[in-house]
Amino acid sequence: MKIESIELHHIDLPLVHPFETSFSREFTRPCILVAVHAGGLTGWGECTAHAGPWYSSETVETAWHVLRDFLLPAVLGQEIESPADVVARFRRVRGHPMARAALENAVWDLLAQRRGVSLADMLGGRRERVPVGVSVGIEPTLDALLDQVAGHIAEGYGRIKLKIKPGWDVDVVRAVRERWPDLPLQVDANSAYTLADVPVFRDLDQFDLLLIEQPLHHDDIVDHARLQAQLRTPLCLDESIHSPEHARWALDIGACRIINVKVGRVGGLTAARQIHDLCAERGVPVWCGGMLETNVGRAANVALATLPNFTLPGDISASARYYREDIAEPNFEINDDSTLSVPIGPGLGVHVIPDRLAAVRLRHLHLP
Ligand code: OSB
Ligand code: MG
C-alpha cells in the first residue's frame, strides 16, 4: 500500500510514581509517537528514546531529527507491502534503532490492520496471555522499597525486578528475599558496576535470583563473559544488545545466558523476532523488556511476547502502574495469574484518543 502521509507527535506524560535507576530519576515520560496513514488506515508506533542519553545514546531530539530527515523520506509515497520493505529502505541508516523501530512498528500495525489480523497473529505468536512482572525503581529508603514490593505483590504481580546500584544492592536484595523467600526475583544494574565489583555479584549469587541484568559497561560483552564464568546466576544482557548480530556475538562468547529483548533498542519488531528465533535455536530464554511505554508501545510489547521462546515474565506491567490517563485505550490490566491479556482486535488492538494526545503534546509534524 502507498504510504500517503506520516505524523510525528512529541508528547510528555506524567508518571504515577517517579522511576529511579542507577542512571536517572524520571518524573515524566517524554516520547515520540509515529502515525502512518495509508488507504484510510492509521498505524501507530512508539519511539522509546527518553529525554537524555542516559540509557542509550538516543534522545527524543536525535530520534526526531533522524525520523524527520532520513526515515520518513525513505517511506513517504512508497509502495510498502511488508515490514521487510521498510527494513530494506532503512538499511543505509547506521545506529538510531529506537527511531527506526518507531516507524517500522507503525507499519507493522498498519499492515496487520489491513489484513484484519492482530499484531500477535502477524508475528506468529500463539499465546492469549503473556506472563509479566514489575520493575521496581530505587526508593529513598529500604522501607519505602519494601512497601512498593508489597503493593505490587498485592496487585497480583508474581515476579519482581529490583533496580540496583553500588550502595543499593546486597542489603536490599537480602531484605526482599528474607520477607518473600519464594518470590521469583531478579535485579537490573543498568551498567553501574565493573569487574572490580565481582565480590558484590558473588554475594548476590546466593539469593536464587532468576537473573542479573546488565551489570557491566553498556557496550560490553567481554567483561560480562568473564563475570558469567564466575557465577551460578544467569547474566542477562539489555543495553549491550542492539541487533541480532550483537546477540549472536554475546552468545558465542558466553557473555550471558538470557537476553532481554526490547523492540526499540534492537531497531524494531523484525530484529526483535530474529533475536527471539536465534535464542530459541540455541536454547537461550528471552523476555520482553520495557521502557515505560504508553499503551501504544505496550501493545507492541505484548504482541511480541506471544512468541514461544518468551518464557520469562516481561517488564510489561498494567497501564495503571505507569500513567493515570494513557493516550490510548483500552488499558492493560493485570490478571490474577500475573499475566496481561493479548488484544484480539486488528493491529495493535488499542486506539489513540485524539484529545488526550493533543493535551500532552509538545510538538507536531505532518509530512508531506
Ligand atoms: O533497564 O530495563 C531497563 C525503564 C527505562 C529504561 C531502562 C529500563 C527500564 C525498566 C522499566 O526497567 C521497565 C518497564 O517499562 O516497566
Ligand atoms: Mg534493563
Side-chain angles (χ1 to χ4, degrees):
M1 57 199 321
K2 187 172 162 176
I3 306 299
E4 292 154 14
S5 75
I6 305 180
E7 286 178 89
L8 300 182
H9 305 270
H10 172 189
I11 65 168
D12 197 20
L13 263 186
L15 290 162
V16 293
H17 187 77
F19 189 73
E20 184 171 336
T21 58
S22 64
F23 57 81
S24 77
R25 187 154 208 251
E26 312 280 347
F27 296 86
T28 68
R29 167 64 160 76
C31 78
I32 300 170
L33 292 170
V34 178
V36 176
H37 302 284
L41 298 171
T42 301
W44 288 90
E46 177 163 340
C47 178
T48 57
H50 283 201
W54 322 131
Y55 166 80
S56 84
S57 59
E58 287 184 276
T59 69
V60 169
E61 288 302 322
T62 68
W64 188 275
H65 158 57
V66 170
L67 279 160
R68 181 194 58 201
D69 296 337
F70 303 104
L71 302 178
L72 268 56
V75 297
L76 273 169
Q78 303 294 317
E79 287 293 340
I80 299 289
E81 293 307 324
S82 78
D85 292 340
V86 178
V87 172
R89 289 178 187 284
F90 289 176
R91 202 153 278 150
R92 288 176 62 215
V93 177
R94 293 184 179 174
H96 305 284
M98 293 174 179
R100 284 188 276 120
L103 182 48
E104 186 199 315
N105 294 352
V107 170
W108 275 90
D109 178 31
L110 180 76
L111 294 172
Q113 288 181 47
R114 188 184 55 166
R115 289 190 201 172
V117 300
S118 70
L119 181 59
D121 279 343
M122 180 147 152
L123 283 162
R126 291 277 173 269
R127 298 193 182 102
E128 289 168 14
R129 294 177 163 209
V130 297
V132 302
V134 60
S135 171
V136 181
I138 294 164
E139 289 290 326
T141 64
L142 183 55
D143 280 345
L145 177 90
L146 293 172
D147 285 350
Q148 285 290 319
V149 173
H152 291 307
I153 291 172
E155 286 161 354
Y157 292 100
R159 180 283 261 162
I160 298 290
K161 163 168 135 182
L162 302 176
K163 291 289 188 178
I164 59 168
K165 65 175 182 183
W168 182 268
D169 45 39
V170 177
D171 293 345
V172 175
V173 173
R174 181 180 294 113
V176 172
R177 194 32 106 215
E178 276 173 4
R179 184 145 157 207
W180 293 281
D182 302 321
L183 174 70
L185 185 65
Q186 62 195 58
V187 296
D188 184 1
N190 289 110
S191 300
Y193 297 86
T194 70
L195 280 181
D197 299 306
V198 166
V200 173
F201 295 102
R202 282 201 201 285
D203 283 351
L204 290 174
D205 216 10
Q206 310 157 25
F207 295 115
D208 277 314
L209 300 174
L210 291 170
L211 58 90
I212 298 172
E213 184 176 344
Q214 195 73 33
L216 308 178
H217 189 275
H218 65 88
D219 264 343
D220 166 77
I221 54 173
V222 175
D223 285 354
H224 280 98
R226 293 197 176 108
L227 179 60
Q228 179 66 90
Q230 302 175 63
L231 299 178
R232 206 164 49 96
T233 310
L235 293 186
C236 169
L237 289 178
D238 174 353
E239 280 90 330
S240 293
I241 307 297
H242 294 280
S243 67
E245 290 75 25
H246 282 111
R248 182 166 54 78
W249 298 332
L251 296 180
D252 280 352
I253 69 161
C256 62
R257 296 189 197 139
I258 295 173
I259 290 181
N260 166 338
V261 181
K262 287 183 182 166
V263 180
R265 195 197 67 229
V266 305
L269 285 164
T270 302
R273 189 170 59 179
Q274 284 166 352
I275 294 173
H276 164 274
D277 294 351
L278 170 80
C279 290
E281 273 167 34
R282 302 215 182 176
V284 172
V286 299
W287 56 285
C288 182
M291 292 290 288
L292 313 175
E293 287 87 350
T294 73
N295 282 339
V296 169
R298 189 168 319 289
N301 290 346
V302 167
L304 179 68
T306 61
L307 292 171
N309 195 38
F310 280 85
T311 50
L312 292 162
D315 275 348
I316 329 174
S317 310
S319 311
R321 183 259 185 283
Y322 307 93
Y323 305 110
R324 198 152 289 123
E325 188 176 72
D326 204 296
I327 46 84
E329 280 193 337
N331 271 344
F332 291 88
E333 317 237 346
I334 183 82
N335 299 316
D336 52 18
D337 57 352
S338 192
T339 62
L340 297 189
S341 297
V342 181
I344 50 173
L348 289 171
V350 298
H351 55 276
V352 173
I353 313 291
D355 287 351
R356 292 197 197 159
L357 186 68
V360 293
R361 188 166 56 205
L362 305 175
R363 190 167 24 159
H364 182 216
L365 178 74
H366 194 169
L367 292 180

